[in-house]
Amino acid sequence: MDKAVTASRGMDGYATCPRSHEPSPTRQAGVKSPASRPGFLEKISVTCRSADGRLPLYVMWHTVLWVGVVVSCAVAVIAAVFGHVYRMRAGRTTTTASLSGKTVIITGASAGIGQEAALDLARRNARVILACRNLKKASIVAEWIQSSTGNSQVVVRELDTSSLASVRAFAARILAEEHRLDVLILNAGVGGKSKRTLTSDGLELTMATNHFGHFLLANLLLGLLKESRPSRVVVTASMAHTLVKTLDPKALNYEKAGYWAMQAYAQSKMCNILFARHLAHLLKDTGVVVNSLCPGLVDTEIFGKTEGIIFGKVYNYLVPYVGKTCEQGAQTIIHLAAAEETENITGEFFEDCHVSDNATNLAIDDGMAKKVWEASETLVGLKPEEQHC
């Protein structure tokens, strides 16, 4: 047996796999019953070991590769099945309401669910204002919507919700140019940076883009919304808010609290819900309704732009398999913006075109909502003349 091992040993001192059809010395030791015969991996382990019992590296990597392929295929199949069922169960609005004569503003409308919502509302003959940071990209989208719907009243206005100056400039232009505002859809968002990043206003970027900018914009346009009543405010949030177990209104900007991308995104979505809830309370019986929503897990570019291993890379890999299409993800936005049955509902959280009971206790805490509102007023520097509640 020693001679057999020595003869088959390569230059690196490891035993090589026998190339002949003769039983290996180990297999000659005894004949096992079919039920107890070794499988493929066990055969490699027996026939390819060196005298000291170690497997050669190429065998180990070959095995790892095959295991990786099998696991990846299994995950893809499971994800595809889940995604098919998830998409089949996605809620859809059934409203056929026309929005002729109405004006709609949609932030973050140059891609994803914002773009799909803009397309649908343009088909309903609304005047649709795409409020976007990237004017070139938004202009291409606007031209596409115009050609697809025949609605020439689709325009682009510059807005970067991460910049308070941009928000104020945008609002000033809207108030100067528009005579009415029937629906304000606060949809723009980012997934979060791997490291805490501050804007020129000293605000954490994720919170500024997803919450603070929208908070300021809604306040600046409230006067016009009231003049145009009945009107609506629609806030895109997320079930990611459930990751927030506690919330300190004094630490919304992550000046002292620990920061990571997913937590920042989740906190911004929690603030979206609380903001919408308190705004609905302040506007009770004014003819302006305010609701927030979760569009579901949607295959949008937000995942491709998100930093971090779990929230960025893993989600970006899985979402195309398991997520809704952008058209499906936009359905609840459209429902809240246009459906007759939602014109008198306010202060609620929606999923799949229905009021949802999945908002956490923290997200429906009216006391917390008031504290987040007051903290946001301070952080954006809301002036007395900018308050219209």
Side-chain angles (χ1 to χ4, degrees):
M1 184 169 181
D2 292 339
K3 292 181 179 180
V5 172
T6 302
S8 61
R9 186 172 296 166
M11 293 297 293
D12 58 358
Y14 290 106
T16 58
C17 295
R19 297 183 179 275
S20 68
H21 296 286
E22 295 179 5
S24 68
T26 305
R27 293 296 301 276
Q28 289 177 355
V31 179
K32 297 183 179 180
S33 65
S36 62
R37 287 176 182 170
F40 172 71
L41 295 180
E42 190 176 347
K43 286 181 181 180
I44 292 179
S45 177
V46 171
T47 60
C48 299
R49 289 183 182 276
S50 64
D52 57 7
R54 292 185 297 172
L55 283 172
L57 288 177
Y58 77 89
V59 173
M60 294 172 63
W61 283 114
H62 184 269
T63 303
V64 169
L65 175 63
W66 274 106
V67 170
V69 169
V70 171
V71 170
S72 297
C73 290
V75 170
V77 170
I78 293 172
V81 172
F82 173 85
H84 176 73
V85 174
Y86 182 59
R87 287 186 287 271
M88 290 292 291
R89 296 179 62 183
R92 300 190 69 86
T93 186
T94 58
T95 183
T96 57
S98 169
L99 295 181
S100 293
K102 296 184 181 296
T103 298
V104 179
I105 291 176
I106 309 179
T107 69
S110 63
I113 60 177
Q115 176 180 304
E116 289 295 333
L119 175 65
D120 182 280
L121 299 178
R123 285 196 180 114
R124 299 173 190 272
N125 294 316
R127 172 174 169 79
V128 181
I129 299 174
L130 311 184
C132 304
R133 178 181 55 82
N134 188 329
L135 292 181
K136 181 178 180 180
K137 182 179 180 181
S139 296
I140 294 173
V141 171
E143 291 176 3
W144 170 70
I145 292 176
Q146 289 174 355
S147 62
S148 299
T149 64
N151 184 347
S152 61
Q153 289 297 301
V154 180
V155 298
V156 176
R157 297 291 181 265
E158 185 175 10
L159 172 64
D160 179 357
T161 57
S162 72
S163 166
L164 300 181
S166 177
V167 172
R168 287 186 165 95
F170 171 83
R173 182 174 182 180
I174 292 297
L175 294 175
E177 296 179 348
E178 304 296 330
H179 302 294
R180 64 181 303 112
L181 176 57
D182 301 274
V183 184
L184 174 61
I185 301 175
L186 305 175
N187 170 74
V190 294
K193 294 285 187 179
S194 58
K195 294 182 180 180
R196 180 174 180 263
T197 303
L198 298 181
T199 68
S200 58
D201 302 298
L203 300 174
E204 190 279 314
L205 180 61
T206 310
M207 285 292 296
T209 305
N210 298 358
H211 170 63
F212 293 129
H214 285 141
F215 172 85
L216 176 60
L217 180 61
N219 274 280
L220 295 175
L221 297 180
L222 275 184
L224 186 57
L225 282 163
K226 285 183 176 181
E227 292 173 7
S228 309
R229 55 193 166 195
S231 53
R232 314 183 189 200
V233 178
V234 180
V235 184
T236 301
S238 169
M239 280 304 295
H241 82 275
T242 60
L243 297 176
V244 179
K245 305 306 179 185
T246 60
L247 184 64
D248 182 358
K250 297 180 181 179
L252 297 181
N253 203 35
Y254 286 99
E255 292 174 335
K256 296 181 180 179
Y259 172 90
W260 63 290
M262 187 62 193
Q263 179 66 20
Y265 178 77
Q267 178 177 284
S268 72
K269 298 293 107 177
M270 173 65 78
C271 289
N272 286 154
I273 300 173
L274 291 169
F275 150 64
R277 189 172 181 86
H278 192 65
L279 182 58
H281 169 73
L282 294 175
L283 296 177
K284 185 178 179 181
D285 299 326
T286 64
V288 182
V289 298
V290 187
N291 293 289
S292 60
L293 69 110
C294 171
L297 186 61
V298 187
D299 182 15
T300 70
E301 65 179 30
I302 189 174
F303 293 103
K305 294 180 178 180
T306 300
E307 297 179 0
I309 299 298
I310 296 179
F311 195 43
K313 302 299 186 292
V314 176
Y315 271 37
N316 197 39
Y317 169 75
L318 289 177
V319 168
Y321 294 99
V322 304
K324 296 178 182 179
T325 65
C326 291
E327 187 267 341
Q328 290 174 321
Q331 292 301 304
T332 306
I333 293 177
I334 298 164
H335 187 68
L336 288 173
E340 298 91 337
E341 56 264 42
T342 59
E343 64 182 352
N344 294 316
I345 299 176
T346 192
E348 298 290 351
F349 176 66
F350 278 71
E351 285 184 285
D352 287 321
C353 300
H354 294 91
V355 174
S356 172
D357 58 3
N358 289 326
T360 64
N361 290 333
L362 182 59
I364 59 175
D365 184 330
D366 291 331
M368 180 60 72
K370 185 174 186 294
K371 291 177 181 178
V372 167
W373 180 280
E374 292 170 347
S376 299
E377 283 184 327
T378 300
L379 287 166
V380 303
L382 193 65
K383 305 169 185 176
E385 62 269 24
E386 296 174 334
Q387 301 179 31
H388 302 281
C389 292

